[in-house]
């Protein structure tokens, strides 16, 4: 029989180095990862066997066994799952198939703790064995292949691995770790049991260990010792957590289960666990993570929902079970109604899936509302839908420090939730009540639209907002001057999705939303008659100036007009009411999108000394361009010809 040597894919070698070095202080996770792989392998067999029962062969049992040998310093995890062929062993244990590896590598900071977190999210799985082992031997046979087509894979984790064909009587895989000197504690029954208890209690398969008993020394004076009994005992709960009554599940168990399914070592913010009985029957266990994953903005990222049908694992990342704007939610759905052979394509058309998706959406929004503790009067529950009414056995984990938790949630995932305004018209009202923004009265994003409405001035007819790149740019924008003077609150929006998402929220609770950078300013009843009259007179007086400016800037602006919105600045740029804001235009250009070239409107403040000096000035043309370029700068843009701008300013300075 020939042994073949293969080099690890470069990424694997890099990852191995990283895993062994940065996870050093968190050694014990290797066992969780190996058991999780073993359990996945059993799930895969169960799933493939739905179509071909002969894959079970003469071994109907699916289980994981853990053996150790103190003298030989080994620990072995054996499963009766799907197994691997020789080609699969080379491919799966020598390369990283998952996309995003490079991004993951790029995000590593060198800070052990932070990197360990990232690795957890990424799921290093099998390779974590090398944290505790200086050599790993894997023996495997794929279900359905004859015993002679087994494979042995060995490596010391340094750069290469070897594979050879073996004869293996049993289907499935065994992974043997040759423990390092400093990891001998894992060749111990108590220690292993402790770890199973901690990490793998809810694996829905029996995890077995050989029983041990104490044997006294045979002769006087000889010490006693633990000896194996030869009987395999199941050491975990071996039931799927979500099927147990919630009163029997502790917070700690919920948290551990989350860590296991989400590969996240930080406890979740909150969860909701319900059995829904109605037109379609299912159990939902949904978690809100406490921090965003590194690939939250990956457009391809799928929802973190595992789908089971009557406890049989069907698929990971069942994206049909949640709308995209809730893609940060992790959890498990176990359906009683879907067929076991359901495919992703079938999921798309299934009415049951649609009902589950709507149920999940309602439940997550409800959980968020609880966390946000929206005042009851301001957030009337929509009439419960049919299957909501039949929910039994509800547990929402959210009592403690709900407010803080919502702030954390919003900081991590608020920008994603905002996508829901566009994506989910049916729940737009509920989502709108969950929104939080900074404003001219609050630097932190904690102002709700209800708060804002409650503080509106008498006679104020709109909710005003401004979009900008940063809080500083928003706060300093000339467009806000009149609002500040009048003491009118303006919401400050700095997320990229803000403007797009608000295009779907024209009004909130009967009050229109109005960008302060769009259209002519009309504060209606907030301006008194004297002010209006003064403005009209000023406009009349500068009519010739306006015409001159229009002429000088005709290539850059759509129009020039007098405004009352400015107090301290000479000019600002606005777009027409229906137009795209300059901010959105910039974002779209950055994203490589073609944007129709709409020119902005230049508004001038006739009271400003600079404006007063314009008419008849020998430098009129330069000043006009500077006025325009500065208005662009003030709202976060750049002059079209920065060098020309600098030249003009310098000429005047000299
Ligand atoms: P992940 O499990 O996240 O895909 P791993 O590095 O843990 O990543 O494992 C890589 C691949 O090796 C798995 O996807 C699987 O195909 C295969 N594998 C690992 N352990 C087993 C096992 N016990 N039985 C069968 N296949 C396995």
């Amino acid at each position: 029989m020939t042994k073949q040597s293969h080099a690890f894919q470069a990424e694997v070698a890099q990852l191995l180095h990283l895993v062994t070095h940065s996870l050093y202080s968190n050694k014990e996770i290797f066992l969780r990862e190996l058991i999780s792989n073993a359990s996945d392998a059993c799930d895969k067999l169960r799933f493939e066997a739905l179509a071909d029962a002969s894959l079970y062969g003469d071994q109907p049992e699916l289980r994981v066994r853990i053996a150790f040998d103190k003298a030989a310093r080994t620990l072995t995890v054996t499963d009766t799952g799907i197994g691997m062929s020789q080609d699969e062993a080379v491919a799966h244990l020598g390369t990283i198939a998952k996309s995003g590896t490079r991004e993951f590598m790029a995000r590593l900071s060198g800070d052990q703790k932070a990197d360990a977190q990232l690795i957890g999210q990424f799921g290093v799985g099998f390779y974590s064995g090398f944290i505790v082992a200086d050599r790993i031997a894997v023996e495997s046979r794929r279900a359905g292949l004859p015993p002679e087509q087994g494979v042995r894979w060995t490596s010391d984790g340094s750069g290469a691995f070897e594979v050879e064909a073996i004869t293996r009587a049993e289907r499935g895989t065994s992974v043997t770790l040759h423990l390092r000197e400093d990891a001998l504690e894992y060749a111990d029954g108590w220690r292993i049991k402790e770890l199973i208890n901690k990490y793998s209690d809810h694996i829905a398969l029996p995890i077995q260990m050989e029983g041990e008993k104490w044997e006294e020394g045979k002769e006087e004076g000889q010490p006693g010792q633990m000896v194996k009994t030869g009987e395999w005992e199941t050491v975990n709960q071996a039931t799927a957590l979500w099927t147990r009554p919630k009163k029997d599940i502790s917070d700690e168990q919920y948290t551990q289960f989350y860590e296991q399914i989400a590969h996240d070592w930080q406890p979740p913010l909150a969860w909701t666990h319900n059995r829904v009985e109605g037109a379609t029957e299912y159990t939902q266990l949904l978690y809100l993570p406490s921090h965003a994953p590194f690939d939250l903005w990956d457009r391809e990222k799928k929802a973190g929902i595992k789908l089971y049908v009557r406890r049989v694992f069907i698929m990971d990342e069942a994206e049909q079970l949640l709308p995209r704007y809730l893609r940060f939610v992790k959890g498990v759905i176990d359906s009683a109604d879907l067929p076991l052979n359901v495919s992703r394509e079938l999921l798309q058309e299934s009415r049951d899936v649609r009902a589950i998706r709507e149920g999940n959406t309602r439940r997550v929004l409800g959980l968020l509302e609880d966390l946000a503790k929206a005042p009851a009067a301001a957030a009337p529950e929509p009439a419960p839908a049919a299957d909501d009414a039949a929910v039994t056995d509800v547990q929402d984990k959210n009592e403690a420090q709900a407010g803080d938790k919502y702030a954390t949630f919003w900081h991590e995932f608020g920008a994603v939730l905002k996508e829901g305004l566009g994506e989910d018209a049916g729940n737009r009202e509920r989502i709108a009540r969950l929104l939080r923004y900074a404003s001219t009265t609050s630097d932190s994003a904690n102002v709700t639209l209800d708060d804002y409405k409650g503080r509106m001035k008498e006679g104020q007819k709109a909710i005003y907002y401004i979009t900008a790149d940063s809080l500083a740019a928003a706060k300093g924008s000339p467009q806000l001057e009149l609002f500040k003077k009048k003491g009118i609150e303006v919401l400050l929006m700095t997320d990229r999705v803000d403007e797009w998402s608000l295009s779907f929220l024209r009004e909130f609770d009967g009050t229109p939303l109005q960008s302060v950078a769009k259209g002519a300013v009309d504060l209606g009843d907030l301006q008194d008659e004297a002010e209006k009259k003064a403005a009209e007179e000023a406009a009349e007086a500068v009519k010739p100036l306006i015409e001159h400016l229009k002429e000088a800037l005709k290539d850059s602006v759509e129009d020039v007009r007098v405004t009352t919105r400015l107090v301290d600045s000479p000019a600002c740029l606005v777009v027409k009411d229906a137009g795209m804001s300059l901010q959105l235009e910039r974002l779209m250009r950055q994203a490589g999108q073609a944007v129709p070239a709409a020119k902005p409107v230049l508004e001038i403040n006739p009271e400003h000394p600079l404006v007063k000096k314009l008419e008849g000035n020998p430098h009129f043309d330069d000043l006009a361009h500077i006025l325009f370029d500065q208005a662009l700068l003030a709202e976060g843009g750049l002059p079209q010809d920065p060098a020309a701008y600098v030249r003009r300013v310098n000429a005047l300075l000299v």
Side-chain angles (χ1 to χ4, degrees), residues 51 74 95 106 202 207 219 235 246 440 449:
T74 60
T95 58
H202 309 297
I207 300 173
E219 285 160 32
V235 296
K246 59 147 211 272
T440 42
L449 294 176

Side-chain angles (χ1 to χ4, degrees), residues 410 415 418 421 436-437 465-468 492-503:
W410 186 255
K418 286 172 184 171
L421 291 176
R436 298 290 182 272
Y437 296 106
Y465 67 90
I466 184 164
T467 54
L492 308 174
M493 309 204 174
T494 52
D495 269 335
R496 283 169 169 247
V497 305
D498 279 328
E499 186 162 345
W500 174 83
S501 63
L502 284 188
S503 67

Side-chain angles (χ1 to χ4, degrees), residues 550 553-560 573 599-602 628:
K550 273 191 204 166
L553 298 172
K554 65 176 184 299
D555 293 337
S556 313
V557 302
E558 161 91 23
D559 195 10
V560 180
L573 295 173
K599 295 182 204 159
V601 174
L602 179 73
F628 174 77

Side-chain angles (χ1 to χ4, degrees), residues 67-76 132-135 176-181 183-184 186-187 228:
F68 60 92
D69 182 335
K70 262 200 170 111
R73 302 176 162 189
T74 60
L75 176 116
T76 303
V132 294
D134 49 24
R135 203 160 69 82
T176 299
L177 307 180
H178 295 265
L179 295 169
R180 292 176 194 273
E181 196 67 43
L184 294 179
Y186 301 109
K228 306 245 165 87

Side-chain angles (χ1 to χ4, degrees), residues 15 33-42 44 77-79 81-84 88-89 91-98 122-128 138 140 172-175 263:
L15 187 68
E33 299 291 321
L34 295 186
I35 292 176
S36 156
N37 279 352
S39 156
D40 288 350
C42 291
K44 278 182 202 156
V77 179
T78 304
D79 64 66
I82 192 74
M84 283 176 274
E88 286 169 331
H92 296 160
L93 305 181
T95 58
I96 301 177
K98 272 181 251 170
F122 183 73
V124 279
F126 174 75
Y127 302 106
S128 64
V138 179
S140 189
T173 305
S174 65
V175 178
H263 289 284

Side-chain angles (χ1 to χ4, degrees), residues 159-472:
F161 60 90
E162 291 179 325
V163 283
E164 62 186 312
I166 57 164
T167 297
R168 181 175 160 88
E170 322 81 48
R171 158 196 90 225
T173 305
S174 65
V175 178
T176 299
L177 307 180
H178 295 265
L179 295 169
R180 292 176 194 273
E181 196 67 43
D182 60 1
L184 294 179
E185 62 183 291
Y186 301 109
D188 177 272
W190 287 109
R191 185 76 174 107
I192 296 171
K193 266 185 208 157
E194 182 192 27
L195 294 182
I196 293 172
N197 211 292
K198 181 164 172 193
Y199 292 120
S200 307
D201 218 18
H202 309 297
I203 294 279
L205 284 174
I207 300 173
Q208 301 176 335
M209 290 179 69
E210 209 178 331
E212 283 183 296
K213 65 169 194 254
W214 183 253
E215 199 172 79
E216 295 295 343
K218 295 223 164 60
E219 285 160 32
E220 271 297 311
Q222 198 186 357
Q225 58 174 346
M226 294 295 284
V227 293
K228 306 245 165 87
T229 62
E231 311 237 318
W232 290 92
E233 299 164 356
T234 297
V235 296
N236 65 331
Q237 290 253 6
T239 57
L241 176 96
W242 64 88
T243 62
R244 287 163 42 195
K246 59 147 211 272
K247 66 172 172 26
D248 296 348
I249 311 174
S250 69
D251 285 3
E252 206 185 344
Q253 288 170 321
Y254 274 118
T255 300
Q256 280 163 12
F257 184 70
Y258 167 80
E259 288 171 356
Q260 186 185 307
I261 58 163
H263 289 284
D264 181 0
W265 303 346
Q266 276 180 45
L269 266 191
W271 57 83
T272 171
H273 181 195
N274 318 287
R275 221 183 316 284
V276 183
E277 289 154 4
T280 178
E281 218 176 293
Y282 59 98
T283 300
Q284 62 186 177
L285 173 53
L286 303 174
Y287 290 91
L288 285 183
S290 57
H291 64 110
F294 69 90
D295 55 355
L296 182 66
W297 296 106
D298 181 352
R299 282 163 186 267
E300 301 306 311
K301 184 172 166 64
K302 307 239 174 82
I305 302 291
K306 285 181 194 289
L307 174 65
Y308 286 74
V309 171
R310 294 182 290 283
R311 322 239 166 120
V312 177
F313 172 78
I314 304 295
M315 69 179 76
D316 272 318
E317 304 180 330
E319 71 266 24
Q320 290 85 356
L321 299 180
L322 273 177
R324 284 186 46 75
Y325 73 96
L326 298 179
R327 62 183 175 273
F328 47 81
V329 172
K330 306 268 186 206
V332 170
I333 295 297
D334 191 345
S335 160
D337 305 318
L338 289 170
L340 279 167
N341 61 356
V342 69
S343 63
R344 282 189 197 271
E345 291 68 42
L346 275 175
L347 282 185
Q348 259 157 18
E349 285 144 28
S350 157
R351 282 180 51 202
D352 287 318
V353 169
R354 218 168 308 140
I356 295 174
R357 178 187 165 106
E358 281 164 18
N360 286 347
T361 305
R362 271 198 302 275
R363 191 53 63 187
V364 173
L365 291 177
L367 185 60
L368 291 174
E369 283 160 359
D370 288 346
L371 285 189
K373 278 220 176 114
E381 273 284 316
D387 72 0
D388 244 16
V391 166
T392 56
D393 204 15
V394 176
Q395 162 144 359
D396 286 339
K397 209 50 232 167
N398 47 34
E399 304 84 16
Q401 320 105 22
D404 294 351
K405 287 190 176 180
Y406 195 73
T408 305
F409 162 77
W410 186 255
H411 179 257
E412 296 291 319
F413 302 110
V416 180
L417 189 71
K418 286 172 184 171
E419 294 172 13
L421 291 176
E423 194 185 332
D424 189 354
N427 285 304
R428 195 171 289 152
E429 274 282 314
R430 290 181 82 176
I431 297 168
R433 291 210 144 81
L434 290 166
L435 299 172
R436 298 290 182 272
Y437 296 106
S439 86
T440 42
T441 58
S442 167
D443 270 358
S444 49
N446 58 9
V447 179
T448 68
L449 294 176
D450 284 306
D451 293 341
Y452 184 99
K453 279 199 71 169
R455 293 199 284 255
M456 273 170 51
K457 291 254 179 245
E458 199 157 316
Q460 185 179 342
K461 295 211 169 66
I463 296 170
Y464 293 105
Y465 67 90
I466 184 164
T467 54
D469 273 345
S470 67
L471 201 57

